[in-house]
Amino acid sequence: MRRSLNVRKTITPLLDLMQTLPSFVYLTSTVMIFGPGKIPALIATIVYALPPLIRLTDLGLCSVNLAAMEASRAFRTNPRQRLFGVQIPLVLPTILAEVNQTTIMALSVVVIAPMIGAGGLGYQVLQGIGRLEVSRGLFAGLSIVTLAIIFDQVTQAFGKQLQARIGLAKAS
Amino acid sequence: MGFFALMFLDIMELWEDTMTTIALMIAAILTAIVIAISIGV
C-alpha cells in the first residue's frame, strides 16, 4: 500500500467504509453467505479487525526516520533488507500497540458473534438477557472483562519482551 | 493474576465458552495480522 499510489487510492475508501459499518452489518452479511456457525463469526471478526491494523502499519512505515533510511541506503541495502532490517524493527512498537488495540476490538465482535450461532461467552450473556437471568448475564459479562484484561496484559508483555529482544526497550 | 482470573472462569463453569471465545479471537487476530501487514507494507 505504501509503495503504490494507485493501491492506496483504492484501499483507503474501502478501509473508510469498513470502519464506518457497524459490526452487526458484518455479522448479517457473513451469515447470509456462509450460514450460521463459527466460520461467519471468524470472517466477520477478521474483517472488523483489518482496517485499523492496515492503517497503523501504513502510518508506522510512513513515519520511519528518514536519516535511518538514508543511512541504510548508504550501505547499499536492497528494498527487502531495508524493510526487514530497518523499517519493520523501527515500526514494531506501533505494530504491537495496534495488535493490542485490535485484540480488544475483536473481542467486542466475538462477544456478539453468538447471535449467529458461534457460541462462546456472548451466548451466556444472550441467554441471561433472554431468560432475565441477571446473575448469568452478570457473571458472563465479568468473564468477558476478565478475558479482555488477560489479553491486554499478555499482548503488552509480549510487546515489551519483543522490543527488549531487538534492543528498542528495556525488559521490565 | 492470570491464574486467579482463569480460576474464576472455571469456578463460574464458563471454561468451555471461554475457550471457544479465545479460539475464535486468536484465529481471527492472527489471520488479520498476516493480511494487514502484507497489505500495509
Side-chain angles (χ1 to χ4, degrees):
Chain A
M1 184 172 162
R2 191 179 49 84
R3 292 177 188 169
S4 167
L5 195 64
N6 287 332
V7 174
R8 184 189 292 270
K9 277 181 182 171
T10 313
I11 289 180
T12 307
L14 248 173
L15 294 178
D16 290 338
L17 180 76
M18 285 163 75
Q19 280 195 308
T20 313
L21 287 175
S23 47
F24 282 103
V25 176
Y26 293 122
L27 292 179
T28 48
S29 51
T30 49
V31 84
M32 278 165 66
I33 298 167
F34 297 101
K38 286 187 173 62
I39 298 298
L42 184 68
I43 291 169
T45 312
I46 291 169
V47 174
Y48 189 74
L50 272 179
L53 273 172
I54 295 173
R55 272 183 200 282
L56 286 170
T57 306
D58 182 44
L59 187 72
L61 286 172
C62 286
S63 62
V64 170
N65 190 356
L66 287 175
M69 290 300 293
E70 193 58 40
S72 67
R73 277 197 200 94
F75 282 99
R76 291 186 179 179
T77 52
N78 59 33
R80 181 182 288 270
Q81 286 172 326
R82 275 199 293 277
L83 177 67
F84 289 105
V86 180
Q87 288 177 307
I88 288 185
L90 287 175
V91 174
L92 205 60
T94 313
I95 292 176
L96 292 169
E98 83 199 32
V99 167
N100 188 11
Q101 290 301 311
T102 309
T103 308
I104 305 304
M105 277 178 64
L107 186 63
S108 71
V109 179
V110 169
V111 164
I112 58 166
M115 291 176 111
I116 56 168
L121 284 171
Y123 180 73
Q124 299 295 331
V125 177
L126 280 178
Q127 290 284 308
I129 294 168
R131 296 177 185 174
L132 289 176
E133 291 177 16
V134 179
S135 60
R136 188 175 189 165
L138 182 71
F139 284 125
L142 281 175
S143 304
I144 291 165
V145 173
T146 310
L147 209 58
I149 292 169
I150 291 173
F151 267 110
D152 187 50
Q153 297 290 321
V154 167
T155 49
Q156 275 187 22
F158 176 70
K160 280 180 188 167
Q161 277 191 359
L162 205 60
Q163 285 180 46
R165 190 175 292 173
I166 62 167
L168 286 175
K170 288 180 182 175
S172 57
Chain B
M1 184 195 161
F3 174 75
F4 289 110
L6 292 174
M7 214 168 74
F8 166 76
L9 294 170
D10 192 31
I11 290 169
M12 291 297 126
E13 296 182 353
L14 292 169
W15 186 258
E16 281 183 28
D17 289 326
T18 307
M19 291 303 118
T20 308
T21 307
I22 289 176
L24 259 174
M25 276 195 60
I26 290 175
I29 290 293
L30 290 181
T31 317
I33 287 171
V34 170
I35 296 170
I37 291 180
S38 312
I39 295 173
V41 166

